[in-house]
Amino acid sequence: MPIPRVALSDQNLNIPRPPTPHDPPTEDEVLDRIDYKTYLRQQYVGGNSSITTGDLVAAYKYKARLLAPELPPVPAPAPARPEWLDDLLARMDRMEQKINFVARLSALAYNKSQHTGPFTSVPNGAGEFPLQGLTTLDEIHGLQNAGVDDYFNFYVLPEDRAGVNTREKKISCIRAAIGCTALAQIHG
């Protein structure tokens, strides 16, 4: 794409403008443009009142376009985030919390009707589901100690863990967290 001639104000028609360069410009044309910009700068600084600041800026822009025509234009800064977006995101967070709460209640209600299983996977209070749900009472009581600790820590909030330090108490908390209503004496 050829570079257009430099724009000067009408009052400066006596200042010779460089001719339209080739596409791509030759080395001589680039040097001519640098000289032209330098000449205008000297005239402007020297007090030539016929050269305006706009003329000088146009010469600098012209030189820049000539030296780097392949560079894309600088993108405009991203617009500020609209105020309504923060409100919408806050509402979506509240909706997600409510949906997680309903999912938890639904799973708990189903599991309470199953007594010993099969159980459905229950999310914790943060709405996260375990990697593998506990599906039967036998599966809960068959957990190794590390598994008991993992499920206990997944379902029970840190502030509610104080004093729960035996395997039996932790399994009781896990069963309550997933809605298992079978009597503890069955697998005591």
Side-chain angles (χ1 to χ4, degrees):
M1 174 174 69
I3 299 170
R5 293 180 62 146
V6 67
L8 293 175
S9 63
D10 291 336
Q11 65 186 15
N12 289 320
L13 294 178
N14 60 336
I15 298 173
R17 296 177 188 162
T20 302
H22 293 88
D23 188 16
T26 66
E27 291 176 354
D28 287 339
E29 289 171 332
V30 172
L31 291 175
D32 287 345
R33 284 4 170 248
I34 292 172
D35 290 343
Y36 177 73
K37 189 260 325 165
T38 304
Y39 171 75
L40 277 185
R41 174 81 178 147
Q42 289 170 348
Q43 293 294 313
Y44 180 77
V45 171
N48 184 340
S49 61
S50 66
I51 298 175
T52 65
T53 305
D55 295 334
L56 194 57
V57 169
Y60 273 86
K61 287 181 180 179
Y62 187 65
K63 175 189 161 199
R65 285 195 318 261
L66 189 67
L67 293 176
E70 70 279 353
L71 293 178
V74 177
R81 196 156 104 173
E83 291 179 23
W84 59 264
L85 184 58
D86 289 331
D87 183 49
L88 178 65
L89 293 174
R91 287 179 185 204
M92 289 175 66
D93 285 343
R94 288 191 302 272
M95 285 176 53
E96 184 177 16
Q97 290 171 358
K98 289 178 181 179
I99 289 169
N100 290 340
F101 181 72
V102 170
R104 182 169 168 68
L105 288 179
S106 297
L108 286 171
Y110 173 81
N111 288 351
K112 285 182 181 204
S113 70
Q114 299 303 305
H115 303 292
T116 60
F119 303 121
T120 188
S121 188
V122 177
N124 63 13
E128 302 165 336
F129 282 87
L131 293 177
Q132 179 179 351
L134 298 169
T135 58
T136 66
L137 188 60
D138 290 335
E139 193 176 322
I140 295 169
H141 286 276
L143 288 171
Q144 300 296 318
N145 287 338
V148 170
D149 288 340
D150 288 344
Y151 281 101
F152 176 74
N153 291 331
F154 180 78
Y155 282 113
V156 180
L157 295 173
E159 58 268 18
D160 296 334
R161 295 178 192 160
V164 183
N165 49 14
T166 66
R167 174 181 171 86
E168 292 76 26
K169 288 180 180 179
K170 288 179 182 180
I171 286 177
S172 178
C173 289
I174 294 168
R175 288 175 44 172
I178 67 168
C180 172
T181 58
L183 296 176
Q185 293 81 358
I186 294 176
H187 283 78

